[in-house]
Amino acid sequence: QGRYKQVNLAGAAGIAAFANAFPQYDLPSFFGGDGASILLPSGSQSRAAQVLLGLQDAAQSTLGLTLRTALTPVAAVRKLGFDVRIAYQD
């Protein structure tokens, strides 16, 4: 629909929201244009779910976007035979 600015804003807001919710961590994140992925510490599912609900509400009320969100444990990815690795680039 040509709403690239709103979609980019929602993705950036997601990364910012998690950085604010978990200030004690340097969270690895990736923004791919129409979505973001963020690695969170083990045991943070409850807080992360709250952040995701807040993002969904904010995206709908301020940008008119419906966000699809998910929490996927790294263990579930590994169970499928894949691994999760990160690298920082300067």
Side-chain angles (χ1 to χ4, degrees):
Q1 295 178 338
R3 300 183 64 198
Y4 302 105
K5 288 182 181 180
Q6 290 92 342
V7 170
N8 287 337
L9 182 59
I15 292 171
F18 277 97
N20 290 336
F22 296 92
Q24 68 274 36
Y25 298 106
D26 182 16
L27 299 174
S29 61
F30 170 79
F31 179 65
D34 62 352
S37 298
I38 303 165
L39 292 175
L40 300 170
S42 176
S44 61
Q45 293 88 343
S46 178
R47 179 74 178 126
Q50 292 174 348
V51 173
L52 290 175
L53 288 173
L55 282 168
Q56 286 177 313
D57 288 343
Q60 184 64 52
S61 65
T62 62
L63 302 171
L65 296 175
T66 301
L67 296 185
R68 291 181 285 184
T69 63
L71 291 172
T72 305
V74 170
V77 175
R78 290 184 173 146
K79 187 175 180 179
L80 294 172
F82 300 99
D83 201 2
V84 175
R85 296 175 184 221
I86 60 170
Y88 283 98
Q89 183 177 355
D90 290 332

